[in-house]
C-alpha cells in the first residue's frame, strides 16, 4: 500500500488516480501529524512525502517515521528547496522527485521499489547464510545486520547497498552500478544519491570516510567492501 502525503488536493488526486491505474492501493494524509499517524497505523510499503506540509515539517515527519518504520520513503520537493532535499535524504528518505514531477515517473519509481527484493534475489549470487567481517554480521535470510552483536536499524536502501557490496567483496562498484543494483535499472536520478546513503550507512556502522572499516571509497571510481 502506498501512503500519499500531500497537502495540495489536486496533485494528491492525480497521484492517487495514476497509482490506482497501476494497480496499487493508496491511503492519504494532508498534514505532517496525520502522516506520522497513518504511517504507524497502516504500515505502508512506500510513502510519497511532500516536504512542505502544514502542522509538522516534512523533515521532522521523516525523523519520526524512521523511529518505527523502515519503509521506503520518496520525498517530493519544489526546485528551490535543494538543502531540504539533501537534509531529507540524510534523515533517511530513500529517493526524491523535484516538483513539478512527472506522475508517470513517480509511478515507475514506486513500481521499481516494489520489485526490488525480487531483483536482488534473482540476479545476485547468494551470500552465505551469514556474512561476517570484523564484527559486522549480515544475516540475509533474517534481513538483519549486526555490529558487535548489536542489531542496526538500517533502511532498505542502506541494507541493499551493504548487501550489494558484501556479496562481491573483491569488486569495486561504480555509483551507477550501485544505483542499478539497489534502485533498479529504471532509475534516472543523479549518482550523488549513492554518496548520501553511503554516508548514512557509515554513520550507523560507526565508521568515518577517512578510516573506513567496512565500506571503502575508491577515488574516482566508487565503493568497495573492506578496510581502507
Ligand atoms: Ca506542500
Amino acid at each position: 500500500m502506498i501512503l500519499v502525503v500531500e497537502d495540495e488536493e489536486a496533485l494528491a488526486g492525480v497521484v492517487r488516480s495514476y497509482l490506482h491505474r497501476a494497480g496499487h492501493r493508496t491511503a492519504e494524509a494532508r498534514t505532517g501529524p496525520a502522516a506520522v499517524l497513518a504511517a504507524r497505523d497502516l504500515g505502508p510499503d512506500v510513502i510519497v512525502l511532500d516536504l512542505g506540509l502544514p502542522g509538522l515539517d516534512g523533515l521532522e515527519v521523516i525523523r519520526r517515521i524512521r523511529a518505527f518504520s523502515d519503509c521506503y520513503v520518496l520525498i517530493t520537493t519544489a526546485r528551490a528547496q535543494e538543502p531540504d532535499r539533501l537534509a531529507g535524504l540524510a534523515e533517511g528518505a530513500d529517493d526524491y522527485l523535484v516538483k513539478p514531477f512527472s506522475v508517470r515517473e513517480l509511478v515507475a519509481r514506486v513500481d521499481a521499489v516494489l520489485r526490488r527484493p525480487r531483483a536482488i534475489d534473482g540476479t545476485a549470487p547468494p551470500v552465505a547464510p551469514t556474512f561476517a567481517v570484523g564484527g559486522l554480521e549480515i544475516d540475509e535470510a533474517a534481513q538483519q545486520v549486526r555490529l558487535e552483536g548489536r542489531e542496526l536499524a538500517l533502511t532498505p536502501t542502506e541494507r541493499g547497498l551493504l548487501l550489494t557490496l558484501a556479496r562481491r567483496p573483491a569488486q569495486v562498484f561504480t555509483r551507477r552500478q550501485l544505483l542499478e543494483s539497489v534502485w533498479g535499472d529504471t532509475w534516472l536520478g543523479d549518482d550523488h544519491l549513492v554518496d548520501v546513503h553511503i554516508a548514512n550507512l557509515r554513520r550507523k556502522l560507526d565508521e568515518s570516510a577517512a578510516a573506513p572499516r567496512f565500506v571503502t571509497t575508491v577515488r574516482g571510481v566508487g565503493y568497495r567492501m573492506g578496510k581502507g
Side-chain angles (χ1 to χ4, degrees), residues 6-8 50-54 99:
E6 175 57 68
D7 59 328
E8 287 171 51
D50 175 26
L51 281 187
L53 288 171
K99 289 181 173 182

Side-chain angles (χ1 to χ4, degrees), residues 15-95:
V15 168
R16 182 181 56 219
S17 81
Y18 271 73
L19 286 170
H20 285 175
R21 247 180 282 165
H24 298 293
R25 290 187 304 127
T26 64
E28 281 176 52
R30 296 254 187 275
T31 69
V36 177
L37 284 179
R40 195 190 302 271
D41 292 347
L42 305 173
D45 303 298
V46 178
I47 301 178
V48 178
L49 176 69
D50 175 26
L51 281 187
L53 288 171
L56 195 60
D57 175 51
L59 297 177
E60 183 58 29
V61 171
I62 302 172
R63 212 169 292 139
R64 294 195 189 181
I65 287 174
R66 279 291 177 241
F68 59 83
S69 168
D70 69 354
C71 82
Y72 189 87
V73 177
L74 170 62
I75 54 180
T76 61
T77 68
R79 191 168 292 278
Q81 298 168 322
E82 163 93 2
D84 278 2
R85 185 199 314 164
L86 297 179
L89 294 172
E91 289 297 343
D94 296 277
D95 197 354

Side-chain angles (χ1 to χ4, degrees), residues 117-129 131 138 140-141 160 162-171 173 181:
R118 254 204 329 266
I120 288 175
D121 291 345
T123 59
V127 75
F131 174 96
I138 305 169
E140 188 165 4
L162 189 59
L163 271 177
T164 300
L165 293 166
R167 282 193 183 105
R168 294 189 174 91
Q171 182 177 336
F173 287 86
S181 169

